[in-house]
Amino acid sequence: TYEWDFGDGTSSTAFEPAHKYSEPGVYNIKLTAYSTEGCKDDSIAYNAITVQAPCNIEFPNAFTPNTAGPSQNGRYIGLEATNDIFFPAKLEKGIDKYHLEVYNKWGEMIFSTDDKEVGWDGYYRNSLSKLDVYVWKCKATCIDGTKIQKTGDVTLLR
């Protein structure tokens, strides 16, 4: 018989197990085998598996700011379904450093943040920006050091 320890708190007694890791990290794998006569032997593969955190950012191409006034702080956690704030539609756990800028059609930067939980609420100098297309630029660094640079445009709808 066989006992596999996958190093993440899970195990298997299958002859040839398959395993999917749910968290990033470096894992040791241990196999304990028992013969029909009751003999036991262990083998450990140190640092056998390296699981990297997903590292990707995706942005929407339109949003509809709240016309009642600027947000208090641009935090969008819990507001994902409202579409009031421009922020990444997908922001993977593997993002370490993050910077987002938004520009108007004259190239003037009207929003900037280093906080992954803060987005643009559509306001500039406490006034709602006009219906238009705005350019955004995002730079990020993944936990593993990979750098991401993305640019695009977003339409502010009223």
Side-chain angles (χ1 to χ4, degrees), residues 6-121:
F6 299 110
D8 63 351
T10 61
S11 60
S12 173
T13 57
F15 175 66
E16 293 180 349
H19 182 67
K20 182 176 180 180
Y21 290 86
S22 60
E23 294 294 323
V26 178
Y27 298 95
N28 301 329
I29 297 176
K30 179 180 178 183
L31 170 62
T32 304
Y34 299 90
S35 73
T36 55
E37 290 80 27
C39 296
K40 173 184 165 187
D41 194 15
D42 292 327
S43 180
I44 299 176
Y46 293 98
N47 303 323
I49 301 290
T50 300
V51 179
Q52 295 181 337
C55 188
N56 189 23
I57 304 173
E58 295 176 13
F59 286 88
N61 59 6
F63 78 116
T64 53
N66 187 336
T67 58
S71 67
Q72 293 297 319
N73 56 18
R75 294 215 175 272
Y76 58 82
I77 301 303
L79 298 175
E80 288 86 353
T82 65
N83 200 32
D84 288 355
I85 298 175
F86 173 69
F87 63 94
K90 183 176 185 180
L91 183 66
E92 304 275 6
K93 290 181 183 178
I95 301 293
D96 184 30
K97 295 179 184 174
Y98 170 86
H99 182 75
L100 173 65
E101 297 173 348
V102 178
Y103 297 85
N104 64 20
K105 65 182 174 184
W106 296 283
E108 179 182 17
M109 184 171 46
I110 59 174
F111 175 77
S112 174
T113 184
D114 293 321
D115 189 334
K116 295 182 277 190
E117 297 180 0
V118 173
W120 180 43
D121 63 6

Side-chain angles (χ1 to χ4, degrees), residues 134-151:
Y134 296 84
V135 174
W136 57 266
K137 178 171 59 170
C138 180
K139 293 182 181 180
T141 304
C142 303
I143 293 170
D144 68 2
T146 303
K147 298 204 181 294
I148 297 175
Q149 289 189 351
K150 291 192 172 190
T151 58

